[in-house]
Amino acid sequence: FYFARYEEVRQEIHFELEAEGGRYLPQRSRKLGRGLSEYILTTQQTVLIRSAAQMTEFLQRHNLGASGRPALSWCGAPVMIRGRAIGVMAVQSYERENAYDEDHLEVLRIVAAQAAVALENARLFAGEQEQLRQLTFLHSIARIAISTRNTEDMLAEIAREIEKNFGYEHIGIGLLDYEAKLVEWKAEAGTSPIRLADHKGGRKSSLDAGLIGRVTRSGKAVLVAEASGDYFSGMFEHSRSGACLPIVYAEQMFGVLN
């Protein structure tokens, strides 16, 4: 038995739950190919194969390839959410033919439908929890901004609140000095105190440097998923990913958050 989920972005099939011979197997993934699971994902149809000969004929007829150990009996159904096949649920026998019939297929179809409902409910619940977390975070930021009179204390608290909620390795809030063409970092936080130790207290960066320069020139947020070197000039040069956002009030940019 297995339940496999389709990872569209990575073009992979991830085996979330798999059991064989009375024991659970470790989770695994493989690239999308031309197997029975892919056939069900594409056609959104159930499949019942009763024998080795029928298996061979089915694979040849649909131009499919065998994936893993060949089964003598195979029964599979799509897991459907909002008209899309997001996964496959299947049972297979390596020891005997005619292990499954139409009744088994119908039971598997019903179980797959119930699994789809459970997965969708879990997704909706997770979405609600994430929305609640975001609203709580925004409320905390608003409270800090309203109740803290000293600007540097306020920015330091906001940086710590971002760290607490998102766990980034480094957060920096800087104010722009256009005359000197510098960013003066007023607050820093993060989960890497060793990295931050050398950068406490009035650190400054050039307005033309790396991500900061791109943001100050364009006035738009910049995200770098994977890079090194000049991208992070003026920040932490050993970083491998990061984001830099403009801080804007009344259509004027007066700082950056990275």
Side-chain angles (χ1 to χ4, degrees), residues 122-146:
R123 185 191 68 83
L124 292 172
F125 178 75
E128 290 176 357
Q129 294 296 103
E130 177 63 18
Q131 185 179 42
L132 177 61
R133 187 174 73 92
Q134 291 174 0
L135 290 172
T136 302
F137 168 70
L138 292 174
H139 175 265
S140 297
I141 296 297
R143 177 186 53 78
I144 292 168
I146 292 170

PDB file of all heavy atoms in Angstrom, residues 122-146:
ATOM      1  N   ALA A 122      -7.224  19.914   6.395  1.00  0.00           N
ATOM      2  CA  ALA A 122      -5.949  20.241   7.038  1.00  0.00           C
ATOM      3  C   ALA A 122      -5.326  21.481   6.405  1.00  0.00           C
ATOM      4  O   ALA A 122      -4.770  22.342   7.096  1.00  0.00           O
ATOM      5  CB  ALA A 122      -4.988  19.058   6.933  1.00  0.00           C
ATOM      6  N   ARG A 123      -5.430  21.581   5.073  1.00  0.00           N
ATOM      7  CA  ARG A 123      -4.882  22.750   4.381  1.00  0.00           C
ATOM      8  C   ARG A 123      -5.614  24.021   4.794  1.00  0.00           C
ATOM      9  O   ARG A 123      -4.998  25.059   5.061  1.00  0.00           O
ATOM     10  CB  ARG A 123      -4.993  22.556   2.867  1.00  0.00           C
ATOM     11  CG  ARG A 123      -4.336  23.666   2.050  1.00  0.00           C
ATOM     12  CD  ARG A 123      -4.703  23.553   0.583  1.00  0.00           C
ATOM     13  NE  ARG A 123      -6.113  23.840   0.370  1.00  0.00           N
ATOM     14  CZ  ARG A 123      -6.615  25.078   0.256  1.00  0.00           C
ATOM     15  NH1 ARG A 123      -5.819  26.127   0.361  1.00  0.00           N
ATOM     16  NH2 ARG A 123      -7.903  25.260   0.049  1.00  0.00           N
ATOM     17  N   LEU A 124      -6.941  23.960   4.862  1.00  0.00           N
ATOM     18  CA  LEU A 124      -7.732  25.123   5.251  1.00  0.00           C
ATOM     19  C   LEU A 124      -7.423  25.533   6.693  1.00  0.00           C
ATOM     20  O   LEU A 124      -7.304  26.723   6.997  1.00  0.00           O
ATOM     21  CB  LEU A 124      -9.227  24.825   5.085  1.00  0.00           C
ATOM     22  CG  LEU A 124      -9.723  24.648   3.641  1.00  0.00           C
ATOM     23  CD1 LEU A 124     -11.158  24.179   3.635  1.00  0.00           C
ATOM     24  CD2 LEU A 124      -9.570  25.935   2.851  1.00  0.00           C
ATOM     25  N   PHE A 125      -7.299  24.537   7.572  1.00  0.00           N
ATOM     26  CA  PHE A 125      -6.987  24.836   8.967  1.00  0.00           C
ATOM     27  C   PHE A 125      -5.616  25.490   9.083  1.00  0.00           C
ATOM     28  O   PHE A 125      -5.440  26.467   9.817  1.00  0.00           O
ATOM     29  CB  PHE A 125      -7.036  23.560   9.800  1.00  0.00           C
ATOM     30  CG  PHE A 125      -6.678  23.766  11.246  1.00  0.00           C
ATOM     31  CD1 PHE A 125      -7.578  24.364  12.124  1.00  0.00           C
ATOM     32  CD2 PHE A 125      -5.437  23.376  11.735  1.00  0.00           C
ATOM     33  CE1 PHE A 125      -7.240  24.569  13.451  1.00  0.00           C
ATOM     34  CE2 PHE A 125      -5.099  23.573  13.060  1.00  0.00           C
ATOM     35  CZ  PHE A 125      -6.006  24.168  13.916  1.00  0.00           C
ATOM     36  N   ALA A 126      -4.637  24.941   8.332  1.00  0.00           N
ATOM     37  CA  ALA A 126      -3.289  25.518   8.362  1.00  0.00           C
ATOM     38  C   ALA A 126      -3.313  26.950   7.848  1.00  0.00           C
ATOM     39  O   ALA A 126      -2.620  27.825   8.368  1.00  0.00           O
ATOM     40  CB  ALA A 126      -2.333  24.666   7.538  1.00  0.00           C
ATOM     41  N   GLY A 127      -4.132  27.195   6.804  1.00  0.00           N
ATOM     42  CA  GLY A 127      -4.249  28.542   6.271  1.00  0.00           C
ATOM     43  C   GLY A 127      -4.833  29.503   7.287  1.00  0.00           C
ATOM     44  O   GLY A 127      -4.375  30.647   7.424  1.00  0.00           O
ATOM     45  N   GLU A 128      -5.850  29.055   8.028  1.00  0.00           N
ATOM     46  CA  GLU A 128      -6.448  29.891   9.062  1.00  0.00           C
ATOM     47  C   GLU A 128      -5.454  30.175  10.185  1.00  0.00           C
ATOM     48  O   GLU A 128      -5.383  31.301  10.703  1.00  0.00           O
ATOM     49  CB  GLU A 128      -7.696  29.201   9.629  1.00  0.00           C
ATOM     50  CG  GLU A 128      -8.862  29.140   8.649  1.00  0.00           C
ATOM     51  CD  GLU A 128     -10.033  28.362   9.199  1.00  0.00           C
ATOM     52  OE1 GLU A 128      -9.908  27.820  10.319  1.00  0.00           O
ATOM     53  OE2 GLU A 128     -11.072  28.293   8.517  1.00  0.00           O
ATOM     54  N   GLN A 129      -4.685  29.155  10.574  1.00  0.00           N
ATOM     55  CA  GLN A 129      -3.682  29.341  11.617  1.00  0.00           C
ATOM     56  C   GLN A 129      -2.611  30.332  11.182  1.00  0.00           C
ATOM     57  O   GLN A 129      -2.158  31.170  11.965  1.00  0.00           O
ATOM     58  CB  GLN A 129      -3.043  28.006  11.986  1.00  0.00           C
ATOM     59  CG  GLN A 129      -3.993  27.014  12.641  1.00  0.00           C
ATOM     60  CD  GLN A 129      -4.488  27.524  13.986  1.00  0.00           C
ATOM     61  OE1 GLN A 129      -5.607  27.993  14.110  1.00  0.00           O
ATOM     62  NE2 GLN A 129      -3.633  27.440  14.992  1.00  0.00           N
ATOM     63  N   GLU A 130      -2.194  30.231   9.900  1.00  0.00           N
ATOM     64  CA  GLU A 130      -1.183  31.147   9.383  1.00  0.00           C
ATOM     65  C   GLU A 130      -1.723  32.577   9.342  1.00  0.00           C
ATOM     66  O   GLU A 130      -1.020  33.526   9.685  1.00  0.00           O
ATOM     67  CB  GLU A 130      -0.747  30.708   7.980  1.00  0.00           C
ATOM     68  CG  GLU A 130       0.249  31.627   7.298  1.00  0.00           C
ATOM     69  CD  GLU A 130       1.574  31.713   8.019  1.00  0.00           C
ATOM     70  OE1 GLU A 130       1.868  30.832   8.853  1.00  0.00           O
ATOM     71  OE2 GLU A 130       2.322  32.676   7.746  1.00  0.00           O
ATOM     72  N   GLN A 131      -2.983  32.732   8.934  1.00  0.00           N
ATOM     73  CA  GLN A 131      -3.594  34.059   8.906  1.00  0.00           C
ATOM     74  C   GLN A 131      -3.673  34.655  10.313  1.00  0.00           C
ATOM     75  O   GLN A 131      -3.385  35.838  10.522  1.00  0.00           O
ATOM     76  CB  GLN A 131      -4.987  33.990   8.278  1.00  0.00           C
ATOM     77  CG  GLN A 131      -5.642  35.357   8.090  1.00  0.00           C
ATOM     78  CD  GLN A 131      -7.004  35.244   7.459  1.00  0.00           C
ATOM     79  OE1 GLN A 131      -7.795  34.363   7.805  1.00  0.00           O
ATOM     80  NE2 GLN A 131      -7.299  36.128   6.526  1.00  0.00           N
ATOM     81  N   LEU A 132      -4.040  33.818  11.279  1.00  0.00           N
ATOM     82  CA  LEU A 132      -4.104  34.280  12.662  1.00  0.00           C
ATOM     83  C   LEU A 132      -2.724  34.699  13.159  1.00  0.00           C
ATOM     84  O   LEU A 132      -2.575  35.725  13.835  1.00  0.00           O
ATOM     85  CB  LEU A 132      -4.672  33.172  13.553  1.00  0.00           C
ATOM     86  CG  LEU A 132      -4.747  33.476  15.059  1.00  0.00           C
ATOM     87  CD1 LEU A 132      -5.652  34.670  15.313  1.00  0.00           C
ATOM     88  CD2 LEU A 132      -5.239  32.251  15.822  1.00  0.00           C
ATOM     89  N   ARG A 133      -1.710  33.923  12.811  1.00  0.00           N
ATOM     90  CA  ARG A 133      -0.341  34.254  13.218  1.00  0.00           C
ATOM     91  C   ARG A 133       0.097  35.592  12.617  1.00  0.00           C
ATOM     92  O   ARG A 133       0.713  36.421  13.292  1.00  0.00           O
ATOM     93  CB  ARG A 133       0.624  33.146  12.778  1.00  0.00           C
ATOM     94  CG  ARG A 133       2.042  33.306  13.305  1.00  0.00           C
ATOM     95  CD  ARG A 133       2.883  32.098  12.950  1.00  0.00           C
ATOM     96  NE  ARG A 133       3.217  32.090  11.542  1.00  0.00           N
ATOM     97  CZ  ARG A 133       4.332  32.639  11.045  1.00  0.00           C
ATOM     98  NH1 ARG A 133       5.192  33.248  11.837  1.00  0.00           N
ATOM     99  NH2 ARG A 133       4.606  32.574   9.753  1.00  0.00           N
ATOM    100  N   GLN A 134      -0.246  35.810  11.343  1.00  0.00           N
ATOM    101  CA  GLN A 134       0.124  37.063  10.691  1.00  0.00           C
ATOM    102  C   GLN A 134      -0.590  38.257  11.328  1.00  0.00           C
ATOM    103  O   GLN A 134       0.017  39.311  11.538  1.00  0.00           O
ATOM    104  CB  GLN A 134      -0.191  36.979   9.201  1.00  0.00           C
ATOM    105  CG  GLN A 134       0.705  36.007   8.446  1.00  0.00           C
ATOM    106  CD  GLN A 134       0.296  35.834   6.999  1.00  0.00           C
ATOM    107  OE1 GLN A 134      -0.663  36.446   6.540  1.00  0.00           O
ATOM    108  NE2 GLN A 134       1.019  35.003   6.265  1.00  0.00           N
ATOM    109  N   LEU A 135      -1.887  38.086  11.624  1.00  0.00           N
ATOM    110  CA  LEU A 135      -2.642  39.173  12.250  1.00  0.00           C
ATOM    111  C   LEU A 135      -2.101  39.496  13.643  1.00  0.00           C
ATOM    112  O   LEU A 135      -2.012  40.662  14.033  1.00  0.00           O
ATOM    113  CB  LEU A 135      -4.130  38.811  12.319  1.00  0.00           C
ATOM    114  CG  LEU A 135      -4.879  38.773  10.988  1.00  0.00           C
ATOM    115  CD1 LEU A 135      -6.281  38.223  11.193  1.00  0.00           C
ATOM    116  CD2 LEU A 135      -4.937  40.157  10.349  1.00  0.00           C
ATOM    117  N   THR A 136      -1.733  38.443  14.385  1.00  0.00           N
ATOM    118  CA  THR A 136      -1.155  38.647  15.713  1.00  0.00           C
ATOM    119  C   THR A 136       0.174  39.398  15.613  1.00  0.00           C
ATOM    120  O   THR A 136       0.458  40.301  16.407  1.00  0.00           O
ATOM    121  CB  THR A 136      -0.947  37.294  16.416  1.00  0.00           C
ATOM    122  OG1 THR A 136      -2.197  36.607  16.504  1.00  0.00           O
ATOM    123  CG2 THR A 136      -0.381  37.483  17.810  1.00  0.00           C
ATOM    124  N   PHE A 137       0.974  39.028  14.630  1.00  0.00           N
ATOM    125  CA  PHE A 137       2.256  39.694  14.407  1.00  0.00           C
ATOM    126  C   PHE A 137       2.048  41.176  14.073  1.00  0.00           C
ATOM    127  O   PHE A 137       2.704  42.059  14.640  1.00  0.00           O
ATOM    128  CB  PHE A 137       3.015  38.991  13.281  1.00  0.00           C
ATOM    129  CG  PHE A 137       4.198  39.750  12.771  1.00  0.00           C
ATOM    130  CD1 PHE A 137       5.335  39.894  13.542  1.00  0.00           C
ATOM    131  CD2 PHE A 137       4.176  40.318  11.502  1.00  0.00           C
ATOM    132  CE1 PHE A 137       6.437  40.608  13.068  1.00  0.00           C
ATOM    133  CE2 PHE A 137       5.261  41.029  11.028  1.00  0.00           C
ATOM    134  CZ  PHE A 137       6.394  41.173  11.804  1.00  0.00           C
ATOM    135  N   LEU A 138       1.103  41.461  13.165  1.00  0.00           N
ATOM    136  CA  LEU A 138       0.842  42.856  12.782  1.00  0.00           C
ATOM    137  C   LEU A 138       0.329  43.670  13.974  1.00  0.00           C
ATOM    138  O   LEU A 138       0.681  44.844  14.132  1.00  0.00           O
ATOM    139  CB  LEU A 138      -0.165  42.893  11.631  1.00  0.00           C
ATOM    140  CG  LEU A 138       0.340  42.346  10.294  1.00  0.00           C
ATOM    141  CD1 LEU A 138      -0.792  42.300   9.276  1.00  0.00           C
ATOM    142  CD2 LEU A 138       1.483  43.207   9.758  1.00  0.00           C
ATOM    143  N   HIS A 139      -0.499  43.030  14.800  1.00  0.00           N
ATOM    144  CA  HIS A 139      -0.984  43.707  15.994  1.00  0.00           C
ATOM    145  C   HIS A 139       0.175  44.047  16.927  1.00  0.00           C
ATOM    146  O   HIS A 139       0.232  45.153  17.510  1.00  0.00           O
ATOM    147  CB  HIS A 139      -2.009  42.836  16.716  1.00  0.00           C
ATOM    148  CG  HIS A 139      -2.467  43.403  18.027  1.00  0.00           C
ATOM    149  ND1 HIS A 139      -1.896  43.033  19.231  1.00  0.00           N
ATOM    150  CD2 HIS A 139      -3.407  44.322  18.321  1.00  0.00           C
ATOM    151  CE1 HIS A 139      -2.477  43.696  20.200  1.00  0.00           C
ATOM    152  NE2 HIS A 139      -3.408  44.485  19.681  1.00  0.00           N
ATOM    153  N   SER A 140       1.121  43.120  17.073  1.00  0.00           N
ATOM    154  CA  SER A 140       2.282  43.365  17.935  1.00  0.00           C
ATOM    155  C   SER A 140       3.124  44.521  17.398  1.00  0.00           C
ATOM    156  O   SER A 140       3.585  45.377  18.171  1.00  0.00           O
ATOM    157  CB  SER A 140       3.139  42.098  18.042  1.00  0.00           C
ATOM    158  OG  SER A 140       2.418  41.052  18.643  1.00  0.00           O
ATOM    159  N   ILE A 141       3.327  44.567  16.074  1.00  0.00           N
ATOM    160  CA  ILE A 141       4.108  45.644  15.473  1.00  0.00           C
ATOM    161  C   ILE A 141       3.413  46.989  15.694  1.00  0.00           C
ATOM    162  O   ILE A 141       4.049  47.994  16.045  1.00  0.00           O
ATOM    163  CB  ILE A 141       4.321  45.394  13.968  1.00  0.00           C
ATOM    164  CG1 ILE A 141       5.162  44.127  13.756  1.00  0.00           C
ATOM    165  CG2 ILE A 141       4.986  46.598  13.308  1.00  0.00           C
ATOM    166  CD1 ILE A 141       6.555  44.191  14.313  1.00  0.00           C
ATOM    167  N   ALA A 142       2.087  47.010  15.493  1.00  0.00           N
ATOM    168  CA  ALA A 142       1.339  48.255  15.696  1.00  0.00           C
ATOM    169  C   ALA A 142       1.430  48.712  17.150  1.00  0.00           C
ATOM    170  O   ALA A 142       1.599  49.905  17.436  1.00  0.00           O
ATOM    171  CB  ALA A 142      -0.115  48.047  15.285  1.00  0.00           C
ATOM    172  N   ARG A 143       1.336  47.770  18.086  1.00  0.00           N
ATOM    173  CA  ARG A 143       1.424  48.108  19.510  1.00  0.00           C
ATOM    174  C   ARG A 143       2.784  48.698  19.847  1.00  0.00           C
ATOM    175  O   ARG A 143       2.885  49.703  20.571  1.00  0.00           O
ATOM    176  CB  ARG A 143       1.164  46.850  20.355  1.00  0.00           C
ATOM    177  CG  ARG A 143       1.313  47.068  21.843  1.00  0.00           C
ATOM    178  CD  ARG A 143       1.184  45.752  22.607  1.00  0.00           C
ATOM    179  NE  ARG A 143       2.084  44.729  22.103  1.00  0.00           N
ATOM    180  CZ  ARG A 143       3.382  44.680  22.385  1.00  0.00           C
ATOM    181  NH1 ARG A 143       3.942  45.615  23.159  1.00  0.00           N
ATOM    182  NH2 ARG A 143       4.141  43.711  21.898  1.00  0.00           N
ATOM    183  N   ILE A 144       3.846  48.090  19.294  1.00  0.00           N
ATOM    184  CA  ILE A 144       5.197  48.589  19.549  1.00  0.00           C
ATOM    185  C   ILE A 144       5.357  50.007  18.992  1.00  0.00           C
ATOM    186  O   ILE A 144       5.902  50.910  19.645  1.00  0.00           O
ATOM    187  CB  ILE A 144       6.248  47.646  18.928  1.00  0.00           C
ATOM    188  CG1 ILE A 144       6.262  46.307  19.667  1.00  0.00           C
ATOM    189  CG2 ILE A 144       7.631  48.277  18.956  1.00  0.00           C
ATOM    190  CD1 ILE A 144       7.039  45.220  18.952  1.00  0.00           C
ATOM    191  N   ALA A 145       4.882  50.216  17.757  1.00  0.00           N
ATOM    192  CA  ALA A 145       5.024  51.520  17.110  1.00  0.00           C
ATOM    193  C   ALA A 145       4.285  52.611  17.870  1.00  0.00           C
ATOM    194  O   ALA A 145       4.757  53.755  17.964  1.00  0.00           O
ATOM    195  CB  ALA A 145       4.522  51.439  15.677  1.00  0.00           C
ATOM    196  N   ILE A 146       3.128  52.274  18.436  1.00  0.00           N
ATOM    197  CA  ILE A 146       2.315  53.269  19.134  1.00  0.00           C
ATOM    198  C   ILE A 146       2.855  53.559  20.532  1.00  0.00           C
ATOM    199  O   ILE A 146       2.865  54.702  20.990  1.00  0.00           O
ATOM    200  CB  ILE A 146       0.850  52.790  19.216  1.00  0.00           C
ATOM    201  CG1 ILE A 146       0.230  52.775  17.807  1.00  0.00           C
ATOM    202  CG2 ILE A 146       0.030  53.683  20.144  1.00  0.00           C
ATOM    203  CD1 ILE A 146      -1.114  52.088  17.759  1.00  0.00           C
TER     204      ILE A 146
END
